[in-house]
Amino acid sequence: MEILRSVGLTAAASAASILVLFLLTKLMGSKQVSQMTMFDYITGITIGSVAAEMATELEEPSKPLTALVVYGLAAVGISMLTSKSVRARSAVTGKPLVLLDNGVIDRDNLKKARMDLNEFLTFCRMSGYFDLSQVQTAVLEHNGVVSFLPKEPYRPATPSDMDLKPKQSRVQIPFIMDGKLLPDNITQAGREDAWVRRALLKQGYRDESEVLLALWDGDAKLTVFPMRASRLPE
């Protein structure tokens, strides 16, 4: 019985820590790892460690819970401060560093970034620049990513370079997912369920249950993916 009680308490504490962690994450906002600042990264690791401790600290779970809330609120407070103050933003997230400009590598900024030449060349190759003479400027962003500005002769050609005026593409809106209509998306796009079903019939689908995914990009035709790989429109 004691073992079952201990297992039950641990499960309850784990569930509570997951709930608190979820709420704090929603409060702090979502960021990809590549978008995190050093402060975000350290805070995230600490909050995860405290949440794990809360799941196993059965005698006094209030202590890790308090620490979890304090770290979460501190992260939110720092985020709000950096969004309003340029000086605070510079202190917390840092400033971009120009590593190369107009054919000159800035050794001082490389030292500030604690980056050696091999690492810099690796970043260049990962971005497709095996010839540094093609790069006008390279900047180390605050999240650790190196951004590159190519010289004009080496940048990709754009339609405006060739005096072309292509039609503007639109973001595809999902109308059907997993065989079910998405009425909110359909209404916001100015369409109706009946229009979607007619469009499906034109492509040989009897109804939405035969469709895994259907996307609309503003044209008259839906891009449809069948529910079964072997299913081909009639």
Side-chain angles (χ1 to χ4, degrees):
M1 291 297 294
E2 185 63 28
I3 295 177
L4 292 177
R5 179 176 177 276
S6 178
V7 170
L9 289 174
T10 302
S14 299
S17 67
I18 292 173
L19 177 60
V20 174
L21 193 59
F22 173 76
L23 294 175
L24 288 175
T25 302
K26 295 293 287 184
L27 184 63
M28 290 185 292
S30 301
K31 283 187 178 181
Q32 296 180 1
V33 174
S34 62
Q35 297 174 319
M36 287 184 174
T37 64
M38 185 62 69
F39 179 79
D40 294 329
Y41 180 70
I42 294 173
T43 303
I45 291 177
T46 305
I47 289 177
S49 300
V50 175
E53 182 180 351
M54 178 183 169
T56 56
E57 183 60 61
L58 303 180
E59 294 181 0
E60 294 184 279
S62 60
K63 290 184 178 180
L65 175 60
T66 302
L68 198 62
V69 174
V70 169
Y71 272 104
L73 293 178
V76 173
I78 293 294
S79 178
M80 294 176 62
L81 180 63
T82 54
S83 66
K84 295 180 180 180
S85 171
V86 176
R87 185 172 297 180
R89 190 182 313 146
S90 176
V92 174
T93 64
K95 296 179 180 179
L97 294 174
V98 177
L99 304 180
L100 180 150
D101 188 49
N102 199 25
V104 178
I105 297 177
D106 194 319
R107 295 182 61 190
D108 292 335
N109 281 349
L110 280 176
K111 291 179 180 178
K112 290 180 182 178
R114 293 177 177 81
M115 182 186 299
D116 59 38
L117 286 174
N118 284 331
E119 289 177 299
F120 175 63
L121 292 175
T122 299
F123 276 112
C124 294
R125 291 191 294 269
M126 290 173 62
S127 296
Y129 295 102
F130 288 79
D131 184 352
L132 291 190
S133 65
Q134 298 178 359
V135 179
Q136 175 66 28
T137 305
V139 180
L140 176 65
E141 307 294 350
H142 65 79
N143 59 2
V145 175
V146 179
S147 302
F148 293 91
L149 175 66
K151 292 183 178 178
E152 286 299 310
Y154 302 105
R155 69 174 178 80
T158 63
S160 62
D161 294 331
M162 296 175 279
D163 292 327
L164 299 177
K165 297 180 179 179
K167 182 181 178 181
Q168 178 63 51
S169 301
R170 295 179 60 178
V171 177
Q172 288 188 314
I173 303 173
F175 276 4
I176 299 174
M177 280 187 175
D178 296 315
K180 296 181 180 179
L181 292 173
L182 303 177
D184 290 342
N185 289 3
I186 296 171
T187 302
Q188 290 177 6
R191 295 292 183 176
E192 298 177 349
D193 294 0
W195 180 90
V196 177
R197 292 192 173 98
R198 287 197 300 270
L200 292 178
L201 285 173
K202 290 180 181 179
Q203 297 190 44
Y205 296 92
R206 288 172 294 182
D207 56 47
E208 62 271 15
S209 64
E210 298 181 352
V211 177
L212 176 65
L213 177 66
L215 303 169
W216 185 67
D217 62 1
D219 292 331
K221 186 177 179 181
L222 285 175
T223 301
V224 181
F225 299 88
M227 184 69 73
R228 300 190 305 274
S230 59
R231 164 70 162 85
L232 294 176
E234 299 174 0

